[in-house]
Amino acid sequence: MAAEEVTLSGHIQHHLTNAKMCSTDTGLAFNKACTDSGFWTWHIDTLAWSIGLGLIFLWIFRSAAKKSTLGVPGKFQCFIEMVVEFVGDNVRDTFHGKSKLIAPLALTIFVWIFLMNLMDLIPVDFLPALAGFVGETAFGMDSHDVYMKIVPTTDINMTAALALGVFILMIGYSIKIKGIGGFIKELTLHPFSSNNMALQILLIPFNLLLELIALVSKPFSLALRLFGNLYAGELIFILIGAIGFMQLPLHFVWAVFHILVIVLQAFVFMMLTIVYLSMASSDNH
């Protein structure tokens, strides 16, 4: 019984471990050799899959743009136009400033995150087992020491990087619209204000603390929401995969439900990004 528990635990841990690369005194190292490497450890599976899926997104939409016609569109062009129109409608309804960046940014976020989430529907054992086989046969590695996580959004580093990009844009739009002075005033003179100058000065530390918490919590919640939902979904797929003969019907049932999560989380991240940038671009606090 204990052996089965250890095996199941090891199986789950193996699937939840990223392929790592780091720099050591002897050169580049991978996976277990990076255990104590500190901050500068690269999750190469997250990087490879996210960049690859980003390139697929660019290729799909570039192909659609090159093949677009003024006549009756084909099914592929019609689908791409529906996605673009869907994102454009949400941007027009939500973003109240003026910027040529927001619509392309929203489209990129929605489709890119959707593609990364979509990887969660691939059977959990297929690509990791293939990676282990290649590592064992081509490089003489122990297959248990070869890791491959194929869903980039189940890596907190990826979702945090996406949220950090949104955070930088929020700061940039705030400064662009309000100026540095206006941005500082927004952080220090709200939400508590007073006509009494001395009292207003005393309120500045409290305002600054509250506004900084509100500002930082926005990207923080973006990162954790996307990561938490996809990580939980991946964990359930792993548990289903460990069941045995019943895994295929259960995998199908959970996959059908998980499609809603995949689309919804991409949509929520996109919409919150638009809302946060709209708030940052507003002249009113």
Side-chain angles (χ1 to χ4, degrees):
M1 183 71 174
E4 290 180 0
E5 290 176 357
V6 171
T7 302
L8 178 59
S9 174
H11 174 77
I12 294 172
Q13 188 61 42
H14 187 273
H15 277 289
L16 296 178
T17 302
N18 284 98
K20 301 180 179 67
M21 182 179 73
C22 61
S23 178
T24 64
D25 295 335
T26 58
L28 291 178
F30 297 89
N31 295 331
K32 290 184 177 180
C34 297
T35 302
D36 300 319
S37 59
F39 178 78
W40 290 110
T41 300
W42 299 85
H43 288 182
I44 52 179
D45 46 6
T46 295
L47 288 170
W49 286 109
S50 61
I51 293 171
L53 291 167
L55 292 175
I56 289 174
F57 157 66
L58 293 176
W59 175 76
I60 290 174
F61 278 75
R62 185 174 182 272
S63 298
K66 290 178 66 176
K67 296 176 182 178
S68 62
T69 61
L70 296 177
V72 179
K75 293 180 180 178
F76 175 66
Q77 182 183 337
C78 185
F79 173 74
I80 297 299
E81 287 179 356
M82 286 174 59
V83 173
V84 173
E85 185 177 353
F86 169 74
V87 173
D89 288 342
N90 282 282
V91 171
R92 282 189 292 271
D93 292 340
T94 309
F95 186 77
H96 304 299
K98 292 182 179 180
S99 175
K100 295 181 179 180
L101 174 66
I102 302 301
L105 174 67
L107 180 65
T108 301
I109 286 174
F110 179 69
V111 179
W112 192 25
I113 291 179
F114 170 75
L115 290 175
M116 289 190 286
N117 293 350
L118 193 64
M119 297 297 291
D120 216 4
L121 297 184
I122 297 176
V124 292
D125 291 322
F126 177 66
L127 289 177
L130 179 61
F133 174 77
V134 172
E136 186 174 10
T137 56
F139 301 100
M141 302 172 64
D142 186 341
S143 61
H144 294 290
D145 293 334
V146 179
Y147 303 102
M148 175 66 70
K149 280 187 69 177
I150 64 171
V151 188
T153 43
T154 60
D155 185 352
I156 187 63
N157 296 284
M158 182 65 199
T159 60
L162 290 170
L164 180 61
V166 174
F167 181 71
I168 292 172
L169 286 172
M170 287 167 54
I171 302 298
Y173 269 84
S174 290
I175 294 175
K176 179 182 177 181
I177 300 298
K178 304 159 191 171
I180 295 179
F183 180 60
I184 294 174
K185 287 181 180 179
E186 186 178 70
L187 293 178
T188 56
L189 302 182
H190 301 276
F192 305 116
S193 60
S194 174
N195 294 326
N196 186 304
M197 182 64 69
L199 180 57
Q200 184 64 64
I201 292 174
L202 290 175
L203 290 172
I204 285 177
F206 300 99
N207 287 334
L208 182 61
L209 177 62
L210 290 174
E211 288 296 318
L212 285 177
I213 291 174
L215 186 65
V216 173
S217 66
K218 292 173 182 176
F220 189 72
S221 65
L222 276 179
L224 289 184
R225 180 184 291 105
L226 180 59
F227 164 74
N229 281 280
L230 270 296
Y231 188 87
E234 182 188 39
L235 185 58
I236 292 175
F237 276 124
I238 293 171
L239 292 173
I240 291 173
I243 289 176
F245 71 96
M246 283 292 292
Q247 65 175 286
L248 286 179
L250 289 175
H251 185 281
F252 175 77
V253 172
W254 177 244
V256 171
F257 172 77
H258 199 56
I259 290 173
L260 298 175
V261 177
I262 287 170
V263 178
L264 181 62
Q265 289 307 312
F267 176 74
V268 167
F269 198 103
M270 177 195 74
M271 287 302 300
L272 288 178
T273 298
I274 299 171
V275 170
Y276 293 158
L277 292 179
S278 180
M279 294 169 63
S281 301
S282 175
D283 288 321
N284 299 321
H285 188 275

